[in-house]
Amino acid sequence: MTESKRVHYETNNDVDLFVMVNDADVHKKWLSDASLPLTEVVDSLTVYTTDNGVYGHLRPASKALAETELGTSDDYQQIAEILRNGTLLS
């Protein structure tokens, strides 16, 4: 079984947001074919943040924080934005 990996997205306000992907190869495939369901790409439909930078302890981001930083209240759009424009961390 592969270990989940973080996709990091730094917002314009220097807020670190993350999603967890199940498999780096599936994430790469989704980037070229977004018809693949997000539920097959991410560990959960949760946006995370930390208090201590990129490698800090993850905690779910509040709905208000995610909406403010990503410009939408739609969970799927938030996650897609992070997947598309974030960086896969090793």
Side-chain angles (χ1 to χ4, degrees), residues 58-83:
L58 291 177
R59 63 179 170 77
S62 70
K63 295 288 185 183
L65 175 66
E67 182 175 349
T68 298
E69 296 300 328
L70 296 167
T72 181
S73 61
D74 183 278
D75 295 341
Y76 287 90
Q77 289 180 12
Q78 291 173 354
I79 291 168
E81 174 70 14
I82 294 170
L83 289 173

Side-chain angles (χ1 to χ4, degrees), residues 13-63:
N13 297 320
D14 295 327
V15 174
D16 295 309
L17 297 175
F18 305 86
V19 293
M20 299 298 293
V21 295
N22 294 320
D23 183 298
D25 291 333
V26 175
H27 174 235
K28 185 177 180 181
K29 181 179 177 183
W30 181 87
L31 289 171
S32 62
D33 178 12
S35 68
L36 186 66
L38 284 179
T39 55
E40 293 183 22
V41 181
V42 296
D43 183 275
S44 69
L45 297 175
T46 304
V47 174
Y48 297 94
T49 190
T50 71
D51 292 325
N52 301 319
V54 174
Y55 291 101
H57 178 74
L58 291 177
R59 63 179 170 77
S62 70
K63 295 288 185 183

